């Protein structure tokens, strides 16, 4: 039954916020495709058997440091080393800067990194929407199976925290970070996709198929990075906040939440699954019913939240660049020596 609310509420259209989020997310995604292509050319250059004596400086400059964002485990090691010894990773500093930006965002702006920046989130988003177009709906895993599956990402997160933060001494981390394997960990990551094994291909295919039918399958059940950011985001003072007096219980917020949260049933969303994507807010038709807010219902304009997301993320990267913590210290000679043997190099 269609709810008629014209005479009860002041209608509002905040769909613009969705388009701003798509614009941010897809700009980052497209930029990373471009960066990935440049990095591919960089690796191709060093993989060639007859490297000509071109300008080493310009080749090194062509390597986009942003690809280090795909090395979150290395970033966790670097983070521990930085906190415990004050040593900032000089091999993949951009990876640590991006990691710090994501943590800072989680502390202040919910899991904003997942909702607004992460390219995997952007891809997941488009895949489940494609699934909904094909089958007319997305499926939901049974409540108990959902709880069990969701714990997987926390188990993976705890595993990495135990192995790296608890067990690995800083001296061992430093030794690993300065070793040949870590120096070309980004190259290994590239080969993971460009020279896929059968197992990798089948695993990615299964994930793709599951993501078609279930919203954000990877993010919801398996991503340990998202699990960590989700737990940190519990500290964020900003939460999606519903005002019962203005709410008309149309359930548009619940129906559209990509994290399957029961927004319409809660006054304040405290879940670590909330990505701060503001999809619920953008769909809410009643002025004053749903907002992103500080405690005591001090609301923030969605546009201000979006600006804060972009400023915090790119501002942290900017500070990293100014502080000289963005470009890798790996030299031309080292790349020339290590990349040709990258495929044979095993984890120490
Ligand atoms: S808070 Fe949710 S249920 Fe209430 S009016 Fe807004 S979209 Fe509808
Ligand atoms: S509650 Fe709102 S902001 Fe949080 S994940 Fe759901 S739609 Fe996004």
């Amino acid at each position: 039954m269609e709810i008629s609310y014209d005479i009860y509420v002041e209608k509002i259209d905040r769909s613009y916020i969705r388009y701003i989020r798509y614009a941010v997310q897809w700009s980052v995604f497209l930029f990373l495709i471009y960066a990935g292509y440049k990095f591919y050319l960089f690796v191709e250059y060093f993989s060639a058997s007859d490297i000509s004596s071109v300008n080493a400086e310009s080749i090194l400059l062509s390597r986009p440091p942003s690809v280090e964002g795909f090395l979150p485990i290395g970033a966790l090691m670097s983070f521990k080393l930085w906190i415990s010894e004050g040593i900032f990773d000089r091999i993949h500093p951009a990876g640590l800067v991006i990691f710090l930006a994501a943590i800072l965002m989680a502390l202040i702006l919910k899991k904003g990194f997942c909702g607004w920046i992460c390219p995997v989130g952007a891809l997941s988003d488009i895949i489940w929407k494609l699934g909904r177009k094909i089958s007319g709906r997305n499926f939901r895993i049974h409540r108990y199976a959902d709880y069990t599956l969701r714990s997987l990402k926390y188990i993976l997160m705890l595993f990495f925290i135990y192995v790296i933060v608890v067990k690995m001494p800083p001296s061992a981390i430093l030794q690993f970070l300065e070793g040949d394997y870590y120096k070309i960990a980004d190259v290994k990551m590239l080969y993971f996709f460009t020279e896929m094994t059968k197992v990798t291909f089948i695993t990615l295919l299964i994930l793709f198929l599951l993501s078609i039918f279930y919203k954000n399958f990877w993010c919801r059940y398996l991503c340990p990075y998202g699990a960590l950011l989700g737990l940190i985001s519990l500290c964020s003072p900003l939460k999606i906040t519903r005002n019962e007096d203005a709410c008309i219980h149309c359930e548009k917020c619940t129906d559209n939440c990509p994290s399957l949260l029961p927004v319409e049933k809660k006054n304040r969303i405290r879940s670590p699954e909330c990505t701060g994507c503001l999809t619920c807010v953008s769909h809410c038709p009643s002025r004053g019913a749903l907002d992103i807010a500080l405690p005591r219902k001090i609301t923030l304009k969605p546009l201000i939240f979006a600006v804060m997301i972009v400023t915090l993320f790119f501002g942290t990267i900017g500070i990293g660049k100014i502080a000289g913590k963005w470009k890798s210290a790996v030299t031309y000679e080292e790349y020339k020596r290590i990349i040709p043997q990258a495929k044979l190099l095993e984890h120490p």
Side-chain angles (χ1 to χ4, degrees):
M1 186 185 70
E2 191 70 23
I3 296 175
S4 167
Y5 44 81
D6 290 358
I7 51 171
Y8 301 112
V9 298
E10 194 183 338
K11 279 174 84 174
I12 190 170
D13 179 2
R14 291 193 286 191
S15 51
Y16 72 90
I17 198 66
R18 286 202 296 282
Y19 301 113
I20 292 178
R21 185 173 76 90
Y22 297 151
V24 173
Q25 225 179 9
W26 284 97
S27 302
V28 173
F29 186 88
L30 292 176
F31 172 76
L32 285 174
I33 297 277
Y34 169 69
Y37 176 65
K38 274 185 80 179
F39 186 59
Y40 171 78
L41 294 180
F42 173 85
V43 174
E44 280 287 285
Y45 168 81
F46 282 103
S47 307
S49 49
D50 57 336
I51 297 178
S52 56
S53 56
V54 287
N55 187 345
E57 182 77 7
S58 71
I59 292 297
L60 284 178
L61 282 176
S62 74
R63 178 188 172 278
S66 47
V67 295
E68 294 170 17
F70 289 94
L71 304 172
I73 299 170
L76 185 61
M77 290 187 197
S78 311
F79 182 63
K80 174 172 173 179
L81 188 69
W82 185 49
I83 295 293
S84 60
E85 304 293 313
I87 301 170
F88 205 97
D89 181 4
R90 55 181 207 100
I91 304 301
H92 294 309
L96 179 53
V97 170
I98 292 168
F99 183 78
L100 291 174
I103 302 263
L104 264 177
M105 286 171 84
L107 274 171
I108 305 168
L109 304 169
K110 301 287 311 156
K111 242 169 46 165
F113 180 82
C114 301
W116 291 72
I117 306 287
C118 179
V120 183
L123 210 54
S124 293
D125 212 45
I126 204 142
I127 294 174
W128 70 254
K129 280 176 185 158
L130 179 76
R132 195 171 57 183
K133 269 225 151 62
I134 295 170
S135 64
R137 57 177 283 216
N138 292 111
F139 296 86
R140 270 190 96 139
I141 292 179
H142 186 275
R143 192 146 57 106
Y144 296 115
D146 181 66
Y147 280 136
T148 315
L149 283 172
R150 261 195 282 161
S151 64
L152 285 176
K153 64 176 185 279
Y154 294 106
I155 294 170
L156 283 169
M157 179 201 77
L158 285 174
F159 170 76
F160 287 121
I161 288 185
Y162 177 72
V163 171
I164 294 168
V165 181
V166 180
K167 292 295 278 181
M168 212 166 168
S171 56
I173 292 180
L174 189 58
Q175 197 182 4
F176 176 78
L177 297 190
E178 294 289 333
D180 283 354
Y181 185 90
Y182 186 64
K183 280 180 183 153
I184 48 106
D186 45 1
V187 179
K188 290 281 227 187
M189 181 56 81
L190 180 76
Y191 288 155
F192 178 82
F193 292 105
T194 58
E195 306 200 1
M196 236 177 251
T197 63
K198 229 186 229 166
V199 176
T200 308
F201 177 75
I202 292 170
T203 310
L204 290 181
L205 185 65
I206 292 172
L207 275 174
F208 173 76
L209 292 174
L210 287 168
S211 304
I212 287 186
F213 298 110
Y214 300 101
K215 278 184 181 175
N216 299 323
F217 190 88
W218 165 261
C219 311
R220 188 170 179 81
Y221 300 118
L222 296 168
C223 180
Y225 200 15
L228 178 68
L229 296 179
L231 290 183
I232 296 172
S233 78
L234 295 174
C235 305
S236 164
L238 287 160
K239 307 262 186 269
I240 295 295
T241 305
R242 195 176 58 85
N243 177 5
E244 181 64 32
D245 295 337
C247 175
I248 53 161
H249 298 282
C250 64
E251 299 194 8
K252 288 189 176 171
C253 47
T254 301
D255 290 347
N256 287 289
C257 173
S259 301
L260 309 175
L261 293 166
V263 188
E264 184 260 342
K265 298 247 177 318
K266 306 271 181 190
N267 289 332
R268 214 156 145 76
I269 299 292
R270 296 192 165 83
S271 166
E273 301 294 333
C274 176
T275 61
C277 65
L278 301 192
T279 306
C280 53
V281 173
S282 78
H283 279 279
C284 178
S286 170
R287 185 182 293 277
L290 198 66
D291 280 289
I292 182 92
L294 290 160
R296 296 170 187 262
K297 299 197 175 169
I298 302 169
T299 59
L300 206 69
K301 282 199 169 20
L303 190 59
I304 302 283
F305 184 79
V307 170
M308 284 170 79
I309 291 265
V310 172
T311 309
L312 196 53
F313 183 70
F314 292 103
T316 309
I317 289 178
I319 291 169
K321 283 185 180 181
I322 291 166
K325 309 288 184 200
W326 187 247
K327 285 196 181 124
S328 175
V330 180
T331 63
Y332 179 88
E333 289 306 323
E334 284 175 302
Y335 280 129
K336 200 169 145 189
R337 175 176 62 79
I338 310 170
I339 289 182
Q341 30 159 335
K343 287 173 195 160
L344 305 170
L345 216 54
E346 294 294 333
H347 195 291

